[in-house]
Amino acid sequence: MITYRIDVADVHAHLYRVTLTVPQPAPEQVLSLPVWIPGSYMVREFGRHLSEVQARQGRTPVPLQQRDKTSWIARPEGRGALTLSYLVYAFDTSVRTAFLNASRGFFNNTSLCLRVEGREAEPHRIELGTLPRGWEVATAMPTDGPRAFVAADYDELVDHPFELGSFWRGRFEVAGVPHEFVVAGAWPGFDGDRLLADTRRICEAQVAFWHGPQGQPPYERYVFMLNTVEEGYGGLEHRASTALIANRRDLPRPGVAAASDGYVTLLGLISHEFFHTWNVKRLKPAPFAQFDYTRENYTELLWFFEGFTSYYDDQFLLRAGLIDAPRYLKLIGKTVNGVLAGPGRKVQSVAQASFDAWVKYYRADENTPNATVSYYTKGSLVAMALDLTLRAEARGSLDDVMRALWAASDGGPVDEAAILAALQSVGRRSYADELAAWVHGTDDLPLQPLLERAGVAVKPEPAGWSAALGLRLSEGAVSGVQVRQVLRGSAAERAGVSAGDELLAVDGWRIRRLDDAQQWVGAGLPFELLLARDQRLHTVRVVPEATPAATLLLSPADKPAKSAAALRRAWLGC
């Protein structure tokens, strides 16, 4: 069996030592490290963190030639076991790579485990060496002895992250299947019982969604791994686990009944990554049926796999009774306003955004809102628009479409034709026009009439002054007012404001927050803006839009029509 021994080499230098044993190697054995990790669509070059790569057979050194940035060729003599040893630098707190210090360890095997090319279909084993005193291990990979774990093949090996350290641990069951939750870095005294209870409700609702009240999930055990930090947010899905990062202040506190906005955000993240257990880890884009770890793997379907998951994440908070309908509509409104505020929605379709994720979504810069649209947020609104359309036509719901797609594909790879077929089987008509306009086009979605037809009031409200001027800022007492992004076609762009500028004064008055200037600038009137750029001062004249920008506020309508009230009850339960 191909075996990796992983040792904590030096916690202060953030180094793992990996020893790879390859039985019966090829005469020219190629070994390579992935350049990306499934679920995070950017080439990350994990091989840059490897050093001191050496090979031997017994005590005899074996010639090792580096072929490119991420692969090596070993030329062993005969079929005796080939052993490679190398160090991996691990100091990235994200969920995508590897981390090690004196208090915590974490790794994805895409960062540590060289792929033995030609042998990917064979079983792979991980053995953990001695750990620092008091450290525990959390992973969903099946055990194969004390601190030993086994995977059926390389794909499974790299789909099981590991959490190491002294962490909080809790357990619950769903449909008789064990689930585990570990939390690293938390303040003492957070409400672990509530976190477990709320997560269990999410899991129960989603398992029942896909498999019915008595159904069984497609795994034998599931592990949530949450690393709490001062500032951070994100997650990465795996076949039987998820790695999460969130602000530690967002954990629930004992004796506090109300769910803070931060805790609701955390629950939404948990719900999102768990829903991926079905929608991307089993159902997946057809090109992902077999991963190519050496380069980008392209698909135009992230609007479905990430966007529809983003629609259902907060939906399941509502269905599980963790938020009410007004709070859910507030979350939807935030998404709607975020999409409408980006000029890039008129430039790039959400299908194109899916394809370009490798170079655009994960490499955001000052021009990102002008050039692209998020397949997460707009994809979630496409899901909502389809759901409301199906419900309004009394043709079932998006729930039925998701389950039909699961049944038709046997929980496997799908393409856009399969999605259209599932829509047609439920809605009893073609939805090709909707997908052509909403997914492959750049016009705004017909959200307001769809929401109003579902008994939701849509009320415009004035946007904040900075947003109305087309500015996205970073503001602080020490850093001052820094321009992060300038929106295309905005008043700020016409005035000549650029990303990187520091805004100093409005009409001669020093500012610490731009919106404070509304106290002395008349509504809609031009003003002089003093800014610093490359150590020089500039004064520009800003002329606000004649029609101020607005945001949309969503709430349950007070007296909806009978049909709208019925649709809202079916959709929101109120």
Side-chain angles (χ1 to χ4, degrees):
M1 187 180 297
I2 294 168
T3 301
Y4 305 83
R5 179 182 169 90
I6 298 174
D7 288 287
V8 173
D10 190 330
V11 295
H12 301 303
H14 319 294
L15 293 173
Y16 290 104
R17 166 73 67 181
V18 180
T19 305
L20 165 60
T21 302
V22 184
Q24 299 182 333
E28 290 195 349
Q29 183 63 67
V30 179
L31 306 111
S32 62
L33 200 66
V35 301
W36 71 291
I37 182 169
S40 184
Y41 307 105
M42 185 173 122
V43 171
R44 298 185 184 276
E45 312 291 16
F46 301 128
R48 65 196 173 100
H49 293 305
L50 270 62
S51 62
E52 298 184 23
V53 184
Q54 299 176 344
R56 67 181 189 275
Q57 282 178 299
R59 295 185 178 182
T60 304
V62 171
L64 193 63
Q65 175 189 353
Q66 186 163 359
R67 186 176 64 173
D68 55 32
K69 60 186 178 182
T70 194
S71 68
W72 291 259
I73 301 176
R75 294 181 172 87
E77 293 289 339
R79 302 287 281 172
L82 172 68
T83 300
L84 278 87
S85 175
Y86 50 93
L87 293 173
V88 180
Y89 177 72
F91 201 54
D92 182 346
T93 58
S94 79
V95 297
R96 299 176 294 263
T97 54
F99 179 82
L100 180 66
N101 69 5
S103 59
R104 175 179 177 260
F106 171 83
F107 59 85
N108 288 286
N109 290 313
T110 43
S111 292
L112 267 65
C113 296
L114 286 167
R115 180 167 57 100
V116 183
E117 297 195 8
R119 306 279 292 276
E120 295 89 344
E122 298 179 21
H124 290 59
R125 175 183 168 93
I126 283 183
E127 298 172 352
L128 293 179
T130 302
L131 299 176
R133 181 174 303 210
W135 278 27
E136 298 182 70
V137 180
T139 182
M141 186 179 289
T143 58
D144 191 39
R147 287 207 301 271
F149 309 86
V150 66
D153 52 32
Y154 188 80
D155 282 343
E156 183 180 352
L157 177 85
V158 298
D159 211 8
H160 287 297
F162 282 70
E163 178 73 34
L164 312 174
S166 301
F167 41 71
W168 179 91
R169 191 173 221 149
R171 297 177 175 87
F172 60 89
E173 287 192 356
V174 174
V177 176
H179 292 64
E180 187 172 69
F181 208 124
V182 301
V183 182
W187 286 325
F190 78 93
D191 194 343
D193 289 341
R194 181 175 183 180
L195 179 64
L196 287 180
D198 292 347
T199 302
R200 184 180 65 246
R201 289 164 70 175
I202 293 168
C203 295
E204 288 172 342
Q206 292 194 17
V207 170
F209 171 89
W210 288 103
H211 305 292
Q214 306 302 319
Q216 293 288 303
Y219 50 80
E220 295 182 357
R221 181 169 161 267
Y222 195 93
V223 182
F224 295 92
M225 305 174 200
L226 172 61
N227 179 34
T228 58
V229 294
E230 176 62 20
E231 292 288 344
Y233 177 79
L236 187 62
E237 68 277 0
H238 298 276
R239 66 182 62 192
S241 63
T242 182
L244 310 166
I245 186 169
N247 303 327
R248 58 175 60 93
R249 63 180 172 273
D250 292 340
L251 287 169
R253 308 302 300 174
V256 180
S260 67
D261 288 345
Y263 183 50
V264 170
T265 298
L266 172 57
L267 291 176
L269 176 64
I270 291 167
S271 179
H272 182 98
E273 301 304 335
F274 190 64
F275 196 81
H276 272 319
T277 305
W278 294 269
N279 196 39
V280 94
K281 297 311 298 184
R282 272 85 183 174
L283 287 177
K284 63 181 65 176
F288 290 2
Q290 181 61 57
F291 292 122
D292 183 345
Y293 294 105
T294 68
R295 63 177 184 84
E296 298 90 339
N297 290 218
Y298 290 102
T299 177
E300 288 191 343
L301 290 179
L302 295 182
W303 60 269
F304 179 85
F305 290 99
E306 291 292 355
F308 280 39
T309 299
S310 295
Y311 172 63
Y312 275 108
D313 54 22
D314 289 336
Q315 264 282 316
F316 277 104
L317 302 190
L318 178 66
R319 298 181 190 195
L322 299 173
I323 59 174
D324 59 15
R327 194 164 195 174
Y328 174 72
L329 289 175
K330 182 180 177 181
L331 294 171
I332 291 291
K334 182 179 179 181
T335 302
V336 171
N337 289 316
V339 172
L340 293 179
R345 76 188 194 282
K346 295 290 190 178
V347 175
Q348 187 183 54
S349 74
V350 75
Q352 292 170 324
S354 300
F355 193 85
D356 281 342
W358 298 90
V359 293
K360 291 191 176 180
Y361 183 81
Y362 285 94
R363 292 179 174 174
D365 59 23
E366 70 283 349
N367 193 48
T368 292
N370 299 319
T372 188
V373 66
S374 168
Y375 51 79
Y376 282 90
T377 52
K378 187 177 179 182
S380 73
L381 298 181
V382 170
M384 183 178 72
L386 286 169
D387 196 11
L388 294 179
T389 299
L390 287 161
R391 292 175 185 273
E393 294 175 354
R395 302 281 177 83
S397 69
L398 193 63
D399 297 5
D400 302 311
V401 173
M402 300 301 288
R403 288 189 286 262
L405 192 61
W406 177 269
S409 67
D410 196 24
V414 299
D415 55 18
E416 188 169 317
I419 296 169
L420 275 168
L423 281 164
Q424 184 162 348
S425 71
V426 172
R428 301 191 299 281
R429 71 169 178 85
S430 172
Y431 288 80
D433 289 345
E434 281 83 355
L435 260 60
W438 301 349
V439 172
H440 296 281
T442 57
D443 289 342
D444 288 334
L445 304 175
L447 297 177
Q448 184 161 344
L450 286 170
L451 287 164
E452 290 174 344
R453 195 173 178 182
V456 175
V458 181
K459 177 184 176 184
E461 289 194 333
W465 202 43
S466 300
L469 296 173
L471 289 171
R472 296 184 179 179
L473 306 172
S474 174
E475 298 177 315
V478 176
S479 62
V481 184
Q482 302 283 340
V483 178
R484 294 188 296 109
Q485 294 167 327
V486 180
L487 300 186
R488 185 70 44 79
S490 65
E493 184 186 59
R494 289 195 300 273
V497 180
S498 297
D501 290 348
E502 181 183 2
L503 308 187
L504 302 174
V506 171
D507 282 348
W509 287 86
R510 187 77 166 91
I511 55 172
R512 294 288 185 269
R513 293 179 65 255
L514 180 60
D515 285 358
D516 290 344
Q518 288 182 286
Q519 299 179 64
W520 62 84
V521 175
L525 295 180
F527 59 89
E528 301 294 318
L529 178 63
L530 177 67
L531 57 87
R533 179 187 301 159
D534 192 24
Q535 295 188 304
R536 299 185 66 183
L537 299 181
H538 302 265
T539 299
V540 299
R541 187 170 187 266
V542 181
V543 181
E545 302 286 350
T547 304
T551 60
L552 300 179
L553 178 66
L554 310 185
S555 62
D558 290 336
K559 296 179 179 179
K562 186 176 180 180
S563 60
L567 199 162
R568 191 176 74 191
R569 277 193 302 273
W571 181 44
L572 301 180
C574 72

